[in-house]
Structure formats: C-alpha cells, structure tokens
Amino acid sequence: MLDFGYPTRMTQSMTVAVLGATGAVGQEFLRLFERRQFPVDELRLLASPRSAGHKMRFRDRDAIVEAVSPESFAGVDLAFFSAGASRSREYAPAAIAAGAIVIDNSSAFRMEPGVPLVIPEINLDAIGPADRLIANPNCTAIILLMAIAPLRTLGTIERVIVSTYQSASGGGAAVMQELEDQTRAVLDGREPEPRHLPHPYAFNLFSHNTPINADGLNEEEAKVIEESRKILGETNLRINVTCVRVPVLRAHTESITVEFSGVAPSEDEVRDVFGRAPGVILVDDRAANHFPMPREASGRAEVLVGRIRRDPSHPNAICLMASGDQLLKGAALNAVQIAERLMQAGRLDPVGLAGAG
Amino acid sequence: MLDFGYPTRMTQSMTVAVLGATGAVGQEFLRLFERRQFPVDELRLLASPRSAGHKMRFRDRDAIVEAVSPESFAGVDLAFFSAGASRSREYAPAAIAAGAIVIDNSSAFRMEPGVPLVIPEINLDAIGPADRLIANPNCTAIILLMAIAPLRTLGTIERVIVSTYQSASGGGAAVMQELEDQTRAVLDGREPEPRHLPHPYAFNLFSHNTPINADGLNEEEAKVIEESRKILGETNLRINVTCVRVPVLRAHTESITVEFSGVAPSEDEVRDVFGRAPGVILVDDRAANHFPMPREASGRAEVLVGRIRRDPSHPNAICLMASGDQLLKGAALNAVQIAERLMQAGRLDPVGLAGAG
C-alpha cells in the first residue's frame, strides 16, 4: 500500500509540473493544456539535467525546462510524470510530500495494490478520496480496454485474444526519429542503422523489443495482461496478447477477438454499444472498406473501433479492430482526463473554479 | 470438375511460359529459374498487350515480352500463370489444350473441386496423374500453413486464430512502388497520394482492401479460410483470420494461435518439430529478442517461425509468429517447387532428365 497520508490540499491557483517535459508524451501535455484550456496557473517543466535550459512554447511564451530535483515540487498542486519508471520511483515521494497529486505515466506503481490504475471512462471509482498517486495505464492496455470494456454490457467477457500493431511513438521521440531516419536511408539505397531499437525498423516489423519472461511473454504483453485484469477488476480474465512493433509513427492498432461466456452479441448490438460509449468512435463502413487506421487515429482524442464481425471459428466470439493515438489516449490525454475528473470532484481547485466544487 | 482429358505429354525439351512476366511475381519466376537451374530450354514471356515488346534479362540475354493470345501456348510444356484470375480463366483452357501443364497463381481455380491446390511440403499427393491444372494457394494461406501443418504430428488442431501483417508485394509491383512513393512524400512533408490502394499506406496500415462479404470477412480472409481447409483436408477446421496490410515491402508476417483438441504440446516439442520440418526455419531466440521478421524473410526460400510460447489464456493452445517472402514461398517459389516435384515424378521431362524418370 502506498499511502503517503497527506490530506487533499485546497489550492487558490494551480501550479502544474510536467516531469519528462521534452519527451514525446511531455510535449503532448503542453498541447493538451492549451487545447483543453486546462487551468494551469504556473507551469513547471522538468526533465533530466541534459535537457535543462531548453525552451518550449506554451501559450505563446517560452517556458524554460529545469533539471528535476526533489525540491522541484515545492508549491506544485498537480504533477504529470512521464520520464520512465526509475525517475517516477525517485521523485514521486518528494512530489507527494510537497503536497502535489501525481499522475504517473510510467509502469513504476501501476501494479502496487494501493495505487489506482485508471481509465476514466472505465474505472474512475478506483480513485479513493485520499489517493495522491494515480497510475496511468500502459498505452496498449488503454486502447484495448477502451474497445472491450463497453462490451461488458452485452455479456460476460471470458477470453480476449489480441495482436497489436504498435507505432514508433511507444518508444518515444527518439524512436520516432529513428523510424524516419531509417526510412530515408532505405529509400536512398543505404542500410538502415538501428540506434535505440535492436532491429531495423524501416519497412520492417518485429516482436516488441522488451525482455521476454520465463513464460515467453515480453514485458509489454505481461503489462497488458496484468493491467487489464486490474482495471477491469477481473483477476482471472483470460488474455492472449502478441505485441508487435510496426513502422507506423504514432497510433497503435489492435486486432481483437472477444469470447463471451454465452452466445456472442450480434454485430448490430456491438455497433450500438460503441455508438454510445464515451471516448470511442465507430469506424465500420464495409462498403467503403473503411475501418480503424492509425493515420486517422493520430491526433484524435477518441479510440476508433470497427471491423466488427462474428468470429467464424467460435459461436461465442466477435472480432474487431481498434486504433488509438498512443501519445494521446494512450498516454498524455488519459492522464489529463484523470486530472479533469479530479477537478470536477473538487480534488483540485484551480483559480476561478474554486467556488464550483 | 475441371478435367481437360489430355494425356501427359513426354517432351524432349522444356518450353516454359510465364504469363504475367512483367509483374512482381513474374520477375521472381525468372530469378528462380536461374537460381535453381530450372531446366528451361525455351522461355516464353507473356503479358498484356500493354507490356508487349518489353525486354527482360534471362541468363544474360534479353528476352522479349509478347502479348498473350490463345496461340501463345503452342509447344509449351509448362506454363506459370500469374496475371490475375480473369486472365487465368481466359487462357488456361488454351494452354492445356495446347498440351501444357498449367500452374496457376491466381484464385481462379483454387476452390474448383477437381483442381489440386498444392503446397508441396504438405499435400503433394493431391496431384493426380491426369491433372494438368494445378492451383498455387493464396500467399497468406501458404505462409500460415507452412507454420501450422507440421504441428499436426503433435496433436489434432482444433482452431486457428490469425492476425496478419501483410506487405505491399501482395498487391504487386505497382503497390510496392506506391508504398515507396508515398513514404518519400510523407518524409518530404507532402500528402501521400493513394493510387491503387483506397487509403494512405505510408506509415499507416489498414484492413485488407478486398471486398467484404455478408459475414464481414474480406476476400483475403475468406480465401485463407477455405484454402486452408482444402489443403489440410479438414473441411470443418475452425479458423479466425484478420488480414491487415502494413507498410512493409515484401514479406508477410502472421501472429498465430493454435488450439489443439488435447493439451497443447510443450514449447520444446514445437521447436523440435520446426527444427525438422522442410521449408521452415526456427527463429526463436528469446535472449536476443530475435524472432521472425519480414526483413529477414525477404529473399529467403523458407518460412521463418518462432516466438513460440504457451497461450496464457488457454491450456490447449500455443502462440507463434511466422514470416515468409510473399513473392517467393507465397507465390513464385511454391509454383516452381510444384513443377520440380512434377519433374521428379516424371510428369515433365526436360532435356537431359528424360532418361531419369
């Protein structure tokens, strides 16, 4: 149990910190604050010493990146962490001790029993009144669960089988650049040079490059399985995941089969549920052969779902595809949505909203 | 039943025709004839009138492409067809009437009850002594079946669940060029322009662009299902396939789950079987995170298989990945291997081998 024991602080103005500000997800936080008119009164951009002094644009002004230290969080009301698990472990206690609520995009605390792991559309109620550390799930898990959680109104999900088509953005800005650089090289007749990835990436694909455990699952697959179970509250949910990196820049796609404990819902029932579910958009036009694609999911808040059909191999199963922006709903947006829900619940009181709680 | 009723012709020299010579698969035929010392005495390159007069290199000489007509097949012993289903339907009867054996890479005759649909490693015995038309299966089906057929020695396969990662080459040379052109455009900050495909392809992916039937399956998926059943001789095999095009140039990859009717074989048993199966290479190095990849499968005769593990969601299932060159084992090579087996069986007697039959 991670209970730091600090009471909710009522603030007169909201000071927001972003740890990992210069990364691919960090940059999305700044864009989302602007686009969603997120009530940032003071913004503190934090990163490793290597990035200190960098300028980033926010609301038409330059903001300077500072090197993170335990003292960085004095006066911070809300901190978004997106600088990897070890930095989260290092700085979350200091941020919470300084009075901040931390929404952590890393895997550091996700499976800690006392830490809520939250997708607002699915399990907002996992956040208790005293929680000051909230974990943002793995991007592949978020996109999967946005597509399958709404189906629980149609029956009990017994088993899920997923193969992923994961984009470069999951590896951060450096891997996105690596994909572009390697692709240029191949088009110019040169050899692609892997830098951060173990294999050539341009016009290639490979099983997700995280370590393989004794069961043969890579780390990404293990995360999807255990995080899905925690978020859905289904300890024994049966999940089969194959995580694969494909040469796409920034949205993840997933081919999903869902087996129900009873006869599967009809295609129309499934379409109807997706038509009403928050945060998803149905893209399912058979005549136009138009289904979820990463290019259309990129830059969008919603997860696209479609290609809905009966599984010809199982009477209780349906198949679908989902595509979601890995940097947005898969990362920064989900974290911002958590913060927005905390504000609505009076857990964070920015200037001007203080009276509304 | 397609039985053209012509006896096997014994030839003194082998005249080989390639219909669709200028296409991506057609070009592979010429390379394979050279590389495998295929006993071509005379080569007849056939294509649409649009390509007539084009020169292609074969054995260090220029060969001229001719416009195909029913008369093109006079004196032809063996014809490889790879110009689409409608041309196959148009010219196969003429070629057979002229005495040729036709190996057809199109979907035109694959599901005709009297036509053998053959992967030599799996069901060579489907070819009867009087057969003069042999169908080459769909590329995705070939790669799938090369990976799962060997597992039948370990138990009865009950159900197969596949998601594919299909390359541009499946759409032919024009689609490969389109992927390159679009990718250059995107890297230069321009919009990708779809020409032959319905959606942007560069750094994108999409559900296979073939028409969707009433069951929600696209044509590619329906082919994989029905052809797999025919080749394996399992009329009721349960198969779930999702076919997706990814921005890879020339090898198809597949994420495969195989459910057995009894307890699944162990990982070591599966590895052992693949280590001995003809036409497949085991690529399964967990420590190096090295598994089948299209870049490594490209240009190779064998289908790469690996990422072997128990399915955590089902006690009777295993998961694996396979990657195979769509133009080689998925198309031209499989056809040439069929012809080689016919020669070994004395069905085609080239110069110099005539006495060996």
Side-chain angles (χ1 to χ4, degrees):
Chain A
M1 285 282 286
L2 273 183
D3 186 348
F4 295 87
Y6 291 86
T8 303
R9 206 178 76 159
M10 299 297 282
T11 56
Q12 294 307 306
S13 66
M14 198 150 80
T15 296
V16 176
V18 175
L19 173 58
T22 56
V25 175
Q27 295 174 41
E28 291 302 326
F29 276 118
L30 270 61
R31 285 193 204 109
L32 286 168
F33 295 160
E34 291 182 343
R35 213 179 297 155
R36 295 173 80 88
Q37 301 184 288
F38 193 79
V40 178
D41 191 58
E42 186 196 325
L43 180 62
R44 211 165 288 175
L45 303 180
L46 306 172
S48 65
R50 182 167 44 91
S51 296
H54 282 213
K55 284 179 192 168
M56 297 180 74
R57 293 295 285 181
F58 182 63
R59 293 185 186 152
D60 298 323
R61 289 190 303 187
D62 282 335
I64 310 292
V65 177
E66 303 165 41
V68 63
S69 78
E71 291 70 45
S72 303
F73 301 94
V76 168
D77 301 294
L78 176 62
F80 293 100
F81 277 29
S82 186
S86 57
R87 270 182 223 281
S88 288
R89 279 191 212 95
E90 193 175 351
Y91 294 107
I96 291 161
I101 284 182
V102 173
I103 301 177
D104 181 26
N105 196 44
S106 84
S107 62
F109 305 109
R110 285 178 192 153
M111 294 310 295
E112 294 269 353
V115 175
L117 179 67
V118 175
I119 301 172
E121 292 88 344
I122 300 173
N123 67 334
L124 190 68
D125 56 4
I127 305 177
D131 287 320
R132 305 193 64 74
L133 172 62
I134 297 157
N136 204 47
N138 168 279
C139 48
T140 304
I142 293 177
I143 294 161
L144 171 65
L145 295 174
M146 287 298 289
I148 67 172
L151 301 176
R152 292 183 300 173
T153 60
L154 298 174
T156 302
I157 295 176
E158 183 111 333
R159 182 184 179 206
V160 180
I161 299 150
V162 193
S163 290
T164 73
Y165 302 72
Q166 296 185 224
S167 62
S169 61
V175 168
M176 295 171 79
Q177 190 61 51
E178 181 164 342
L179 174 57
E180 290 198 24
D181 292 346
Q182 282 194 18
T183 305
R184 250 181 251 279
V186 169
L187 289 174
D188 292 349
R190 290 178 282 122
E191 281 294 300
E193 280 177 35
R195 289 191 302 259
H196 303 88
L197 295 173
H199 306 293
Y201 196 9
F203 302 112
N204 194 26
L205 59 83
F206 46 85
S207 177
H208 198 277
N209 55 300
T210 36
I212 312 278
N213 70 18
D215 295 327
L217 301 177
N218 62 44
E219 210 170 70
E220 182 82 353
E221 292 160 354
K223 283 179 189 174
V224 173
I225 293 171
E226 62 185 18
E227 294 182 25
S228 295
R229 288 173 177 161
K230 179 169 177 173
I231 294 163
L232 295 178
E234 307 267 5
T235 324
N236 297 314
L237 183 69
R238 293 159 58 199
I239 314 186
N240 165 335
V241 196
T242 302
C243 288
V244 176
R245 274 202 201 283
V246 296
V248 164
L249 280 165
R250 65 172 281 168
H252 287 358
T253 303
E254 306 184 16
S255 165
I256 305 167
T257 294
V258 182
E259 293 179 18
F260 292 85
S261 60
V263 173
S266 72
E267 292 168 352
D268 282 341
E269 286 174 310
V270 172
R271 285 191 195 103
D272 184 55
V273 160
F274 285 136
R276 290 182 284 106
V280 303
I281 291 186
L282 183 67
V283 181
D284 198 47
D285 184 343
R286 290 183 181 177
N289 220 316
H290 187 199
F291 303 110
M293 291 188 283
R295 190 176 157 90
E296 290 187 351
S298 293
R300 291 201 73 143
E302 301 87 359
V303 171
L304 311 182
V305 295
R307 199 66 231 282
I308 293 153
R309 62 201 193 276
R310 305 300 295 259
D311 175 351
S313 75
H314 197 298
N316 296 3
I318 60 155
C319 303
L320 60 138
M321 288 178 72
S323 198
D325 190 311
Q326 185 271 328
L327 295 172
L328 293 177
K329 187 60 187 171
L333 175 63
N334 193 69
V336 170
Q337 287 171 328
I338 290 170
E340 289 170 345
R341 296 302 188 96
L342 290 174
M343 286 191 292
Q344 284 166 9
R347 291 284 309 278
L348 283 162
D349 274 326
V351 174
L353 291 180
Chain B
M1 285 285 284
L2 274 182
D3 187 348
F4 294 86
Y6 290 86
T8 302
R9 205 179 78 161
M10 299 298 282
T11 56
Q12 293 308 304
S13 66
M14 198 150 81
T15 296
V16 176
V18 175
L19 173 59
T22 56
V25 175
Q27 295 174 42
E28 291 303 326
F29 276 119
L30 270 61
R31 287 195 202 107
L32 286 168
F33 295 159
E34 291 183 342
R35 212 180 297 155
R36 296 174 79 89
Q37 301 183 287
F38 193 79
V40 178
D41 190 59
E42 186 196 324
L43 181 62
R44 209 166 290 176
L45 302 180
L46 305 173
S48 65
R50 181 168 45 89
S51 296
H54 282 213
K55 285 179 192 167
M56 298 181 74
R57 293 295 284 181
F58 182 63
R59 291 185 188 153
D60 298 322
R61 289 191 301 188
D62 283 336
I64 310 293
V65 176
E66 302 166 42
V68 64
S69 78
E71 291 69 46
S72 303
F73 301 96
V76 169
D77 301 293
L78 176 62
F80 293 101
F81 276 29
S82 186
S86 58
R87 270 182 224 282
S88 288
R89 278 191 213 95
E90 194 175 350
Y91 295 106
I96 292 161
I101 284 183
V102 173
I103 301 178
D104 180 26
N105 196 44
S106 85
S107 62
F109 305 109
R110 287 179 190 152
M111 295 309 297
E112 294 269 352
V115 176
L117 179 67
V118 175
I119 302 172
E121 292 87 344
I122 300 174
N123 68 333
L124 189 68
D125 56 4
I127 305 177
D131 287 320
R132 306 192 65 74
L133 172 63
I134 298 158
N136 204 45
N138 168 278
C139 48
T140 304
I142 293 177
I143 293 161
L144 171 65
L145 295 174
M146 286 298 290
I148 67 172
L151 301 175
R152 292 183 299 173
T153 60
L154 298 174
T156 302
I157 295 176
E158 184 110 334
R159 182 184 179 206
V160 180
I161 299 150
V162 194
S163 290
T164 73
Y165 302 72
Q166 296 184 224
S167 63
S169 61
V175 169
M176 295 171 80
Q177 190 61 50
E178 181 165 342
L179 175 57
E180 289 198 25
D181 293 345
Q182 283 195 17
T183 305
R184 249 181 252 277
V186 169
L187 289 174
D188 292 349
R190 290 178 283 123
E191 281 295 301
E193 280 175 37
R195 287 191 303 258
H196 304 87
L197 295 173
H199 306 295
Y201 196 9
F203 301 113
N204 193 27
L205 58 83
F206 46 86
S207 177
H208 198 276
N209 55 299
T210 37
I212 312 278
N213 70 18
D215 294 327
L217 301 177
N218 61 44
E219 209 171 69
E220 182 83 353
E221 292 160 355
K223 283 179 188 173
V224 172
I225 292 171
E226 62 185 18
E227 294 183 24
S228 294
R229 289 173 176 161
K230 179 169 178 174
I231 294 163
L232 295 178
E234 308 265 6
T235 323
N236 298 314
L237 183 69
R238 293 159 58 199
I239 316 187
N240 166 336
V241 196
T242 302
C243 288
V244 177
R245 274 203 200 282
V246 297
V248 164
L249 280 166
R250 65 172 281 167
H252 287 359
T253 303
E254 305 184 16
S255 165
I256 305 167
T257 293
V258 182
E259 293 178 18
F260 293 86
S261 60
V263 173
S266 72
E267 292 168 353
D268 282 342
E269 286 174 310
V270 172
R271 286 191 195 102
D272 185 54
V273 160
F274 285 135
R276 288 182 285 107
V280 303
I281 291 187
L282 183 67
V283 180
D284 198 47
D285 184 342
R286 290 184 181 177
N289 220 315
H290 186 199
F291 302 110
M293 292 188 284
R295 191 177 157 88
E296 291 187 351
S298 292
R300 291 201 72 143
E302 301 87 358
V303 171
L304 311 182
V305 295
R307 199 66 232 282
I308 293 153
R309 61 201 193 277
R310 305 301 294 258
D311 175 351
S313 76
H314 198 298
N316 295 3
I318 60 155
C319 303
L320 61 139
M321 289 177 73
S323 198
D325 190 310
Q326 185 272 327
L327 295 173
L328 293 177
K329 186 60 186 172
L333 175 63
N334 193 70
V336 170
Q337 287 171 328
I338 291 171
E340 289 170 346
R341 296 303 188 95
L342 291 174
M343 286 191 290
Q344 284 167 11
R347 292 284 309 277
L348 284 162
D349 275 324
V351 175
L353 291 179

